[in-house]
Amino acid sequence: MDRRQRLLVHGIGIDHGRMKFYRAIAVAALAAMAPALLAGEIPPDARRSGYSFMSPDTRAMQDDDTSNPGMLFVLDGEVLWGKKVGRADKACADCHGDARGSMKGVAARYPAFDRTRGRPVTLDQRINLCRANHQQASPLPYESRDILALSAFVAHQSRGVAITTGDDPQLFPFVEQGRSLFMQREGQLNLACTNCHDDNFDKHLAGSSITQGQPTGYPLYRLEWQTLGSLERRLRSCMTGVRAQAYDYGAPELVALELYLMSRARGMPMETPAVRP
């Protein structure tokens, strides 16, 4: 680097690239402190789906099932629903029958309390519990195509159904845990979920719309991912974005966060599979 391209700050030579880096850190620190006075949950009547923040092209892709790439996973899930697996040689359909009736409204109440475990489980975890207990099959890995396809197929049966998650009194302590995590600052940027999704929605970050973080369409298709992904994947991505250590898939903290977010969206209609940038 040529000396003429360097600045002298407090007697220390710093090049333009490093200046931009330190400036970005300073801006992030200020942004982390400023919203503290504004932090607060969005009133129920002001809550909006991420769909309302999307461009017309993205909305059109979600609205047309023949253009929505997430529907390919739903179709795969329908095949898996009727496929016999495991030592029990049973299919999901053998217990639950036609998913269009038996699964309608089910995803709208997950995460749900599991009495044998004494804590909430996600829809993905419930599918794997059914595989283990009733099909005697091995669990499907997190974010694998099969678990996403089955989850999308089941959740698709609830499209248009209002979310009811969190109304079970046994879930109340876990909802509060999720709320605390949502409000808790973390990572090198010292930001909490609420700083973006409660305090600064309708603004933009690096050209992308900041939404309210309402989880109405998961698992959903992200153009950035070029595939379907779970809410846990999105949460882990946000944690990485604020330079925090992401929880492992299936961790109780991630389940609590998902539970809080779904309870926060109570009354909003399911959209699975949604499409986002």
Side-chain angles (χ1 to χ4, degrees):
M1 172 83 58
D2 190 287
R3 289 186 179 181
R4 289 173 298 180
Q5 294 178 287
R6 299 172 70 85
L7 296 175
L8 191 66
V9 179
H10 298 304
I12 302 174
I14 301 177
D15 60 63
H16 287 292
R18 294 172 77 183
M19 279 289 290
K20 289 179 180 178
F21 173 78
Y22 291 128
R23 186 179 298 132
I25 294 297
V27 169
L30 288 172
M33 292 185 289
L37 298 177
L38 305 174
E41 292 182 292
I42 302 168
D45 59 357
R47 293 175 185 178
R48 295 161 50 195
S49 161
Y51 177 88
S52 69
F53 297 85
M54 299 299 103
S55 69
D57 288 345
T58 304
R59 293 186 195 182
M61 188 181 296
Q62 177 175 320
D63 292 342
D64 183 356
D65 283 350
T66 63
S67 298
N68 185 337
M71 288 303 298
L72 297 174
F73 288 80
V74 173
L75 294 174
D76 286 349
E78 184 175 13
V79 173
L80 292 170
W81 183 261
K83 182 179 179 180
K84 295 181 183 296
V85 298
R87 291 191 301 274
D89 194 34
K90 294 177 68 175
C92 304
D94 290 335
C95 289
H96 300 288
D98 188 344
R100 289 175 296 182
S102 64
M103 292 294 107
K104 188 176 181 64
V106 170
R109 60 181 177 83
Y110 270 82
F113 190 80
D114 182 77
R115 285 176 298 195
T116 60
R117 295 191 167 197
R119 58 182 172 82
V121 295
T122 64
L123 181 59
D124 288 358
Q125 291 173 328
R126 173 59 64 201
I127 289 171
N128 273 332
L129 285 170
C130 280
R131 285 176 62 84
N133 297 333
H134 304 295
Q135 295 174 302
Q136 297 178 41
S138 57
L140 297 170
Y142 286 105
E143 299 306 303
S144 65
R145 188 174 182 93
D146 283 358
I147 191 67
L148 290 170
L150 273 170
S151 182
F153 175 67
V154 171
H156 183 63
Q157 310 313 311
S158 297
R159 188 163 68 173
V161 175
I163 293 171
T164 59
T165 306
D167 56 2
D168 181 349
Q170 297 176 99
L171 290 173
F172 292 170
F174 301 96
V175 172
E176 287 306 312
Q177 180 190 7
R179 178 183 283 110
S180 295
L181 290 168
F182 188 82
M183 302 294 178
Q184 176 181 301
R185 295 178 182 273
E186 62 177 348
Q188 292 179 339
L189 299 187
N190 193 34
L191 290 171
C193 308
T194 187
N195 297 141
C196 284
H197 299 296
D198 284 342
D199 301 336
N200 289 296
F201 68 85
D202 248 346
K203 298 179 182 177
H204 289 81
L205 180 64
S208 299
S209 297
I210 301 176
T211 72
Q212 293 181 353
Q214 307 292 356
T216 53
Y218 285 91
L220 55 73
Y221 191 94
R222 286 189 70 87
L223 301 177
E224 175 189 352
W225 296 339
Q226 288 293 289
T227 188
L228 207 73
S230 69
L231 178 54
E232 288 195 40
R233 178 175 179 178
R234 189 70 189 96
L235 290 170
R236 283 168 51 86
S237 178
C238 281
M239 290 172 185
T240 301
V242 299
R243 308 295 187 268
Q245 178 64 50
Y247 297 112
D248 292 335
Y249 282 106
E253 293 86 354
L254 279 183
V255 176
L257 263 173
E258 181 170 337
L259 172 62
Y260 169 64
L261 288 171
M262 286 292 284
S263 68
R264 180 173 175 261
R266 190 184 296 113
M268 300 177 69
M270 295 280 292
E271 303 172 41
T272 309
V275 178
R276 299 291 184 262

